[in-house]
Amino acid sequence: VEAAYGDNGPEPALFMDGARKGSVVSRANSIGSTSASSVPNTDDEDSDYPQEHYKESYKDQRRRAHTQAEQKRRDAIKKGYDDLQAIVPTCQQQDFSIGSQKLSKAIILQKTIDYIQFLHKEKKKQEEEVSTLRKDVMALKIMKVNYEQIVKAHQDNPSEGKDQVSDQVKFNVFQGIMDSLFESFNASISVTSFQELSACVFSWIEEHCKPHTLRDIVIGVLHQVKSQLY
């Protein structure tokens, strides 16, 4: 201190040297601060990389799952068309208009719809035939019961002696009944085809072979035969 402050006051050289040193230190601090701020923050960038990578991986997984689902759907549709083509008979028949080309989806669907409609018609037709056959069976059962009753009544009261009629009289009665039935039968029957003939026969039986109708025919024939005998 004493050296710096003499009798004549502070020496200028000492103050200039101190100011120079202070300027150097200040400049060094400034450079250090700038260098520190210019260094990249690698820790933050490293921490952002896994998150970005995870987002890309998740998108790839969703895209892959969507692709697999779409492929599975297309395979299922293709298998459905292949099954239809194997099941529907009309799809297996060769169509000469398209040659040996593979059937399109539209043709397969149209042939399938036509075949389903055909099956519905056949089912309805078979149900009608079954209903007709059931009616025929019921009519035959009724006729069987009536014949059994006639046979039983004949066995319980057999004709004997002079009261017994001849075979010719029995034949005349039978012939008269058949002639009367044949008139209505001939007027009701059509012989265009066997199926139509069968339908007409059953219809004629239901209409003209009812119990009261047969009873009236038999009574009329018996009166006619009796008038011829006596």
Side-chain angles (χ1 to χ4, degrees):
V1 174
E2 291 178 357
Y5 292 88
D7 294 337
N8 297 325
E11 295 182 2
L14 182 60
F15 280 101
M16 290 179 62
D17 185 58
R20 189 181 296 114
K21 290 181 181 180
S23 177
V24 171
V25 172
S26 176
R27 185 177 298 175
N29 291 335
S30 176
I31 293 173
S33 176
T34 304
S35 300
S37 63
S38 64
V39 176
N41 190 356
T42 57
D43 293 340
D44 294 340
E45 291 181 359
D46 292 342
S47 63
D48 291 341
Y49 174 75
Q51 184 176 1
E52 189 70 22
H53 178 70
Y54 173 77
K55 290 181 179 179
E56 292 296 330
S57 177
Y58 178 70
K59 290 181 180 179
D60 292 340
Q61 290 177 0
R62 288 191 60 183
R63 188 181 298 108
R64 191 181 304 109
H66 177 73
T67 302
Q68 292 176 354
E70 181 66 19
Q71 185 62 38
K72 186 180 294 184
R73 186 182 70 86
R74 292 181 180 179
D75 293 342
I77 293 175
K78 183 178 181 301
K79 183 178 183 300
Y81 279 103
D82 293 340
D83 292 342
L84 283 177
Q85 193 169 359
I87 294 173
V88 179
T90 54
C91 291
Q92 301 174 5
Q93 298 174 358
Q94 184 178 2
D95 192 350
F96 295 99
S97 61
I98 62 175
S100 59
Q101 298 179 2
K102 185 178 180 181
L103 296 178
S104 64
K105 295 180 180 179
I107 294 177
I108 293 175
L109 287 178
Q110 186 60 46
K111 287 180 177 291
T112 303
I113 293 172
D114 295 340
Y115 185 65
I116 291 174
Q117 293 176 351
F118 168 76
L119 290 178
H120 279 300
K121 291 181 180 178
E122 287 296 316
K123 180 182 178 182
K124 184 177 181 180
K125 181 179 179 181
Q126 290 178 359
E127 289 176 350
E128 293 176 354
E129 292 177 353
V130 169
S131 178
T132 303
L133 290 174
R134 287 176 178 173
K135 292 180 180 179
D136 297 341
V137 170
M138 183 62 65
L140 291 174
K141 287 182 178 180
I142 294 174
M143 293 174 64
K144 177 176 178 293
V145 172
N146 291 335
Y147 283 129
E148 289 177 348
Q149 291 177 354
I150 293 173
V151 171
K152 186 176 183 301
H154 180 72
Q155 291 176 350
D156 293 340
N157 300 305
S159 300
E160 296 179 359
K162 60 181 180 179
D163 295 333
Q164 186 175 1
V165 296
S166 63
D167 292 337
Q168 184 63 38
V169 174
K170 290 188 289 185
F171 178 76
N172 292 338
V173 172
F174 179 77
Q175 185 177 9
I177 295 173
M178 292 299 103
D179 290 341
S180 178
L181 290 175
F182 182 74
E183 293 178 1
S184 61
F185 180 81
N186 190 34
S188 304
I189 297 303
S190 174
V191 292
T192 305
S193 63
F194 181 78
Q195 293 181 350
E196 188 174 356
L197 174 63
S198 301
C200 291
V201 168
F202 290 119
S203 178
W204 172 79
I205 291 175
E206 293 177 356
E207 183 176 357
H208 295 278
C209 295
K210 296 178 181 179
H212 66 275
T213 304
L214 293 175
R215 183 175 63 252
D216 294 340
I217 292 174
V218 171
I219 291 174
V221 171
L222 289 176
H223 282 297
Q224 183 179 358
V225 173
K226 182 179 180 181
S227 62
Q228 293 175 357
L229 292 175
Y230 305 101

